[in-house]
Amino acid sequence: MPNKVNKPYWIWALGQTGIERRKTIDLAEFFILLLDRLGSEGYDTKTVIQGLETASMQLENQEIADVAAALAGRTDEEAYPRVREKSRTVLHTLLEAVQEIGPKQTDPESFAPLLLTALDKLSASFKEHIVKFHTQNFEANNRLEPFHLGNMLLCVHALEGIIQTLNPPFQNVHVPFGIDSESLRGVLDWTGDLDETEYHYWYQEFQDIIGAEQKG
Amino acid sequence: METPSFHNDVIEQLKDNPNWTWSAMNDEEKTSYLGLLLISFLDRLRYAEFDVDPVLNSLDQLIHSIDVKVSELYREQFILAPVIKHLNRYNKRQMELFEDNDKEYYSELMHLSQEMLNRLAMIHDVLRISKTEYAEIGSCYSRLINALIEMADHLDDLALRHFYAAFQDGKFESLAAICMGGGFLRSAAGAIEFRLTDDSYWEFGHRYYDLKALISLGKHFDFRTFDDDTNPLLPEVAELLFEGGSEDAE
């Protein structure tokens, strides 16, 4: 277990903007960032994480297990760069596995139906929320803008792309998807209060340091 | 393989290029970048049959009014007039290239677009130094800013009006592009205003717009079809559209 309050993985990733070289974030890497972001927003990502844990056991794949552990908040922040490296292979590993399983995907013992059902439910719940509240983004004098709605829609597009990727007949494998790392802060900003959220975690970190110094 | 177009060419040039790292740019560099994105965005909208003429016309009027002023200035400000003339020559060249849309000249158009907003700001600075009267040009700058804001409002209205139908059709990416377009145009307007007055109503430096996301409308996207007023409106949408909600947002 981590020995101090961790900032979530996606918040850590935002902090890399401007430090690291500008690049394109592919669907695989974005998949994990998006799951973490959805979890922070209160969506039920636990069953997806359980699906990933089951996949890691059935496929005997440590990388998926490590990524699932980070999503479940069981990873120290120092390990996030390695988590990100591993996250880039997770989608491909899952795709290879579901392609191999093929028709047996309906086998209740397999990780595939568990994971895909969980992703479907997550996407449905995210979409339901967007439809229900989308007009708020067009109201005058509201912090929410159409821009934030657009970012959520990009995320729905990504999530649907992931679901299509993992579902027969696997038609989404070659669909190009990429997010400019410089725009990650925007893409994951759904409520216009990302600066405050980041400040919250920065302040917790600051308090940890002060607390440690006082104890020392 | 994408069809050759100015906006696709710019996308290729920008992709993963560290020279275009928004978080490392100062205000002047951001203004350059926004100018390039603006012309690329207008280009994409033009392909999608969106009416970009109000913005292009206001640019043309601005360039023309600067030209008229240059002729007057030659009599009074012998040194400053050629500077403005030189800068405005590039503006005219850029508008010609944009109109011609010849892929042989995309590279030149990209270069000129990149410096467009800075050129307009420099012309304004020189006019200020010249202590000449330039109220007519000043109102042309305002008209350009207003044209951008009006286009932004129109995109917002389209996004709101057609959200439900497009969402149900799974057109998430194109809907996202339309939702973000308005904010982007306000940023461009904010950049112009800021460079002219050191202040702006629309903040432009904080938020980064990814050109690819802005123009991902999808192949064959046509605003004439999208802008279909037969789509049923949700009551809350009708309320916002017709009782001033989104229109009062500015």
Side-chain angles (χ1 to χ4, degrees):
Chain A
M1 288 292 286
N3 53 14
K4 62 181 174 61
V5 179
N6 263 343
K7 60 169 78 95
Y9 169 63
W10 70 278
I11 291 280
W12 168 83
L14 291 183
Q16 302 309 300
T17 310
I19 297 173
E20 295 177 354
R21 187 189 162 104
R22 179 174 170 240
K23 66 179 173 79
T24 300
I25 297 171
D26 67 12
L27 188 60
E29 186 179 334
F30 189 67
F31 173 34
I32 305 305
L33 285 166
L34 180 56
L35 283 179
D36 204 34
R37 174 71 182 97
L38 285 162
S40 283
E41 195 68 18
Y43 290 95
D44 178 18
T45 52
K46 286 196 185 75
T47 45
V48 179
I49 297 168
Q50 281 165 8
L52 289 173
E53 284 165 345
T54 309
S56 76
M57 286 186 283
Q58 289 181 1
L59 303 173
E60 296 178 355
N61 185 298
Q62 190 56 41
E63 289 177 336
I64 298 177
D66 291 345
V67 168
L71 289 173
R74 298 195 303 266
T75 306
D76 272 337
E77 200 180 310
E78 288 72 22
Y80 284 165
R82 289 198 300 282
V83 168
R84 185 172 59 179
E85 288 298 319
K86 292 169 185 173
S87 77
R88 291 173 184 147
T89 64
V90 167
L91 192 60
H92 186 69
T93 307
L94 292 172
L95 173 63
E96 277 190 340
V98 290
Q99 278 178 326
E100 198 171 307
I101 295 166
K104 283 194 292 185
Q105 271 202 61
T106 48
D107 177 358
E109 297 297 312
S110 158
F111 75 88
L114 176 63
L115 182 61
L116 285 167
T117 306
L119 282 170
D120 275 336
K121 278 188 181 165
L122 179 62
S123 180
S125 142
F126 189 31
K127 287 195 288 190
E128 188 186 335
H129 176 90
I130 291 174
V131 168
K132 195 170 176 185
F133 296 106
H134 76 275
T135 52
Q136 289 182 0
N137 293 69
F138 297 91
E139 287 169 2
N141 306 317
N142 193 331
R143 173 155 74 174
L144 295 174
E145 296 172 34
F147 170 76
H148 303 116
L149 182 62
N151 288 321
M152 291 172 92
L153 290 166
L154 272 185
C155 292
V156 172
H157 174 64
L159 194 53
E160 291 286 303
I162 289 155
I163 292 168
Q164 280 174 32
T165 299
L166 294 175
N167 261 315
F170 313 112
Q171 284 175 335
N172 197 39
V173 181
H174 300 296
V175 172
F177 177 90
I179 284 179
D180 182 346
S181 57
E182 287 285 308
S183 72
L184 187 63
R185 173 175 296 275
V187 174
L188 297 180
D189 185 5
W190 303 339
T191 43
D193 57 358
L194 204 49
D195 288 344
E196 286 97 319
T197 308
E198 278 194 298
Y199 177 78
H200 164 77
Y201 287 109
W202 174 85
Y203 189 70
Q204 278 194 339
E205 202 169 8
F206 176 70
Q207 294 287 76
D208 281 345
I209 294 166
I210 295 290
E213 279 179 358
Q214 282 172 350
K215 276 183 195 168
Chain B
M1 183 70 186
E2 297 278 3
T3 318
S5 63
F6 179 63
H7 54 269
N8 281 329
D9 206 56
V10 174
I11 291 275
E12 283 306 307
Q13 299 292 326
L14 297 183
K15 188 175 161 56
D16 295 340
N17 185 335
N19 294 332
W20 297 102
T21 303
W22 179 261
S23 54
M25 291 179 188
N26 59 30
D27 282 347
E28 188 182 329
E29 290 163 337
K30 283 178 177 173
T31 313
S32 294
Y33 194 51
L34 282 171
L36 175 60
L37 297 196
L38 176 61
I39 296 301
S40 310
F41 185 58
L42 293 177
D43 185 57
R44 179 64 188 96
L45 290 184
R46 181 171 65 174
Y47 274 78
E49 303 293 347
F50 189 92
D51 182 13
V52 294
D53 282 349
V55 169
L56 295 181
N57 291 342
S58 63
L59 268 170
D60 276 334
Q61 282 167 14
L62 175 60
I63 292 165
H64 175 71
S65 68
I66 293 167
D67 249 359
V68 170
K69 192 72 198 171
V70 166
S71 307
E72 287 173 28
L73 270 182
Y74 260 105
R75 292 193 290 273
E76 322 157 1
Q77 297 277 350
F78 188 68
I79 297 173
L80 295 177
V83 176
I84 299 176
K85 187 180 180 184
H86 177 76
L87 292 169
N88 208 35
R89 190 162 57 82
Y90 287 127
N91 289 335
K92 283 189 276 188
R93 173 74 178 154
Q94 183 196 334
M95 296 303 282
E96 280 166 21
L97 292 179
F98 185 74
E99 185 60 37
D100 293 348
N101 195 23
D102 182 343
K103 65 176 193 265
E104 294 297 314
Y105 295 97
Y106 283 167
S107 168
E108 187 183 348
L109 179 58
M110 181 171 169
H111 182 70
L112 289 170
S113 304
Q114 191 181 321
E115 291 309 326
M116 176 182 73
L117 298 186
N118 280 324
R119 268 197 314 275
L120 292 176
M122 285 163 77
I123 288 172
H124 189 265
D125 287 346
V126 176
L127 284 169
R128 205 164 41 186
I129 292 167
S130 74
K131 305 221 184 297
T132 187
E133 188 279 326
Y134 61 98
E136 173 58 28
I137 298 178
S139 66
C140 284
Y141 277 106
S142 298
R143 281 202 286 274
L144 171 60
I145 290 170
N146 288 340
L148 290 168
I149 301 295
E150 279 169 21
M151 190 188 275
D153 290 344
H154 184 44
L155 281 174
D156 282 358
D157 280 354
L158 286 179
L160 175 60
R161 173 184 277 276
H162 302 292
F163 181 91
Y164 190 72
F167 192 90
Q168 297 303 327
D169 278 353
K171 293 173 181 164
F172 307 119
E173 205 179 12
S174 52
L175 199 51
I178 296 166
C179 283
M180 287 189 277
F184 164 70
L185 289 168
R186 290 187 189 93
S187 277
I192 298 171
E193 200 177 2
F194 182 81
R195 294 301 303 280
L196 300 190
T197 64
D198 286 338
D199 196 12
S200 68
Y201 185 76
W202 302 104
E203 201 281 330
F204 79 97
H206 187 61
R207 187 180 286 170
Y208 172 67
Y209 287 91
D210 178 12
L211 179 60
K212 191 165 184 312
L214 280 174
I215 66 168
S216 289
L217 293 166
K219 272 184 188 172
H220 312 304
F221 187 94
D222 188 330
F223 272 98
R224 291 170 305 183
T225 322
F226 183 74
D227 192 2
D228 171 8
D229 59 11
T230 60
N231 275 340
L233 295 182
L234 299 174
E236 60 269 36
V237 170
E239 191 180 326
L240 278 170
L241 279 173
F242 302 120
E243 292 182 16
S246 65
E247 284 161 5
D248 287 348
E250 64 181 285

